[in-house]
Amino acid sequence: MKTYVWDVRNYVDDLSTYPQIDEIIQALKANEVIGIPTETVYGLAGNAMSDEAVDKIFKAKGRPSDNPLIVHIYEQEQIQAFAEIPNQTTEMLMDAFWPGPISFILPMKKDVLSKLSFGQMDTVAVRMPSDKVARQLLKLSYLPIAAPSANTSGKPSPTHAEHVINDLDGKIFGVVVSDPVEVGIESTVIDCTSYPFKIARPGAITQSMIESIVPGCIVPFNYDLKQPIAPGMKYRHYAPEAQLVKVGPFDTFKLQPDEAMIAPINEHHKVEGHVFPLGQSYNDITGAMRDLYHSLRSADQLEAIKVIYITDFEETDESMALLNRMNKAVSGK
Ligand code: TXA
Ligand code: MG
């Protein structure tokens, strides 16, 4: 399959003026799947009501089909067609954080969304992304859009359009090329089907940010949960091919030719060898989240690389999601 590449970088503010916009929207309506930017990571978008589209998503990614997809919407009114907002607390959190990097697991209405992804479930995760391009695509198509991260299953999620092309060229109908993402790791997922709510996957919207809207509404994310709430959290994830090893503070670090390091930029002068960014400093969690997957991919692409060192960060409310993804990548191999 020839994969179309639609570079919309000069049309971000008004996508309706992009010459091929009709082609993109028609592709979604015709149940094709396409890579699209969101503020968290690039997604592989398809009509969530279509078995054909959902099947294409699973096949292109090589993703286990027992791992349910997140449904993306343009506006809250769309939810009632396929899910319920269970209480006012959920609504307050949606008002506070949407559009933005958080997904809510809600009770699902039967027989609306594709049975291929949603048939075995009685809940569905829903997200309203804030990325300008994503919002315009959701508005113009006005479909509930299923979109997992647009990577080959098991690889780090894509934060640049070129990551999507590297993984999925020839396997999907098209890719909407926009700028690198703003956040860099996948959305926070919270389960609103029982109270207090649970964090199924930590993200840029942190526990304390949620608590600040409705105190006591959320129980902490539990790293050691035997049965993860989000099925996706049990899979090998985010991992590079090389062995990834965490390192603590150091004075100097001399790397071998088959080794690389991922570290905050203000530590780079201490390192001899291939080194990739992870934010500006240990205090720059936002920057570290933005750099993580790109640096993992870049380091992994070096010729004959065997070991990648990555600097550990202090565990705080803000760094929870960063550490969660780093730990998964480290344990991946
Ligand atoms: O930021 C994001 O959420 C990105 C962008 C593209 O929006 N999407 C994303 O999707 O990360 P995906 O499919 O890679 O991850 C979805 C996660 C998985 O861990 C899945 O198991 C969990 O959400 N999930 C989805 N529906 C669920 C449900 N009904 N109950 C529990 N977990 C669910
Ligand atoms: Mg994913």
Side-chain angles (χ1 to χ4, degrees):
M1 181 190 301
K2 181 191 171 297
T3 299
Y4 290 90
V5 175
W6 298 294
D7 186 343
V8 302
R9 282 175 293 180
N10 291 326
Y11 302 87
V12 167
D13 288 324
D14 186 1
L15 214 52
S16 70
T17 61
Y18 178 66
Q20 277 88 48
I21 186 62
D22 290 343
E23 197 176 299
I24 300 174
I25 300 303
Q26 280 317 312
L28 287 171
K29 290 188 174 167
N31 304 324
E32 297 294 349
V33 301
I34 64 177
I36 65 163
T38 85
E39 73 279 20
T40 55
V41 298
Y42 273 73
L44 182 55
N47 178 359
M49 299 182 296
S50 159
D51 291 344
E52 186 188 342
V54 167
D55 187 51
K56 285 176 184 167
I57 290 174
F58 283 125
K59 290 217 168 92
K61 281 183 62 89
R63 172 174 172 129
S65 59
D66 66 338
N67 189 7
L69 304 170
I70 295 176
V71 176
H72 298 66
I73 54 168
Y74 169 67
E75 59 188 1
Q76 208 172 304
E77 289 84 277
Q78 286 174 279
I79 294 176
Q80 56 178 323
F82 62 89
E84 277 157 41
I85 299 175
N87 47 46
Q88 211 188 341
T89 307
T90 305
E91 189 124 19
M92 285 169 75
L93 297 180
M94 288 176 174
D95 289 346
F97 299 116
W98 270 359
I102 184 166
S103 304
F104 297 91
I105 298 176
L106 306 174
M108 184 173 59
K109 291 184 181 165
K110 282 276 160 210
D111 302 325
V112 183
L113 302 175
S114 163
K115 61 184 185 315
L116 281 185
S117 177
F118 307 98
Q120 306 301 316
M121 309 288 296
D122 43 28
T123 62
V124 58
V126 184
R127 179 159 108 80
M128 185 193 292
S130 63
D131 176 84
K132 276 188 188 169
V133 172
R135 276 190 73 63
Q136 292 174 83
L137 294 174
L138 288 164
K139 184 178 182 183
L140 293 170
S141 68
Y142 213 71
L143 289 169
I145 294 287
S149 49
N151 52 293
T152 300
S153 215
K155 284 226 197 171
S157 292
T159 56
H160 293 52
E162 74 196 55
H163 301 160
V164 181
I165 293 168
N166 288 343
D167 279 14
L168 300 177
D169 188 28
K171 296 182 175 172
I172 60 177
F173 190 82
V175 180
V176 177
V177 173
S178 187
D179 295 318
V181 302
E182 207 182 296
V183 175
I185 64 167
E186 306 83 349
S187 63
T188 306
V189 179
I190 74 167
D191 183 350
C192 302
T193 60
S194 62
Y195 199 85
F197 302 161
K198 294 184 197 69
I199 297 188
R201 178 174 74 180
I205 304 290
T206 67
Q207 190 178 316
S208 72
M209 289 163 75
I210 295 167
E211 286 274 338
S212 77
I213 306 297
V214 183
C217 74
I218 192 114
V219 292
F221 177 64
N222 184 349
Y223 278 110
D224 306 319
L225 216 60
K226 291 278 176 308
Q227 193 72 46
I229 303 166
M233 298 300 280
K234 71 176 183 264
Y235 295 106
R236 175 180 180 271
H237 246 100
Y238 320 114
E241 295 293 322
Q243 194 190 350
L244 190 68
V245 179
K246 271 209 220 175
V247 291
F250 53 87
D251 291 327
T252 58
F253 212 108
K254 189 173 184 311
L255 295 165
Q256 301 302 311
D258 60 358
E259 296 176 342
M261 184 182 273
I262 300 173
I265 287 170
N266 71 354
E267 298 282 304
H268 285 197
H269 67 279
K270 302 178 186 171
V271 184
E272 194 181 313
H274 302 292
V275 58
F276 298 90
L278 193 57
Q280 294 296 329
S281 72
Y282 282 110
N283 295 321
D284 180 19
I285 304 299
T286 308
M289 291 198 293
R290 198 178 292 140
D291 289 339
L292 177 68
Y293 291 146
H294 185 57
S295 286
L296 282 172
R297 281 179 179 255
S298 305
D300 216 28
Q301 267 171 17
L302 291 173
E303 194 77 32
I305 209 77
K306 292 217 179 71
V307 182
I308 303 169
Y309 296 99
I310 188 163
T311 55
D312 207 357
F313 280 66
E314 195 191 331
E315 201 179 311
T316 63
D317 174 63
E318 197 194 0
S319 70
M320 171 86 89
L322 174 72
L323 288 171
N324 171 255
R325 305 310 195 276
M326 273 172 50
N327 291 341
K328 281 187 150 289
V330 168
S331 66
K333 276 227 151 177

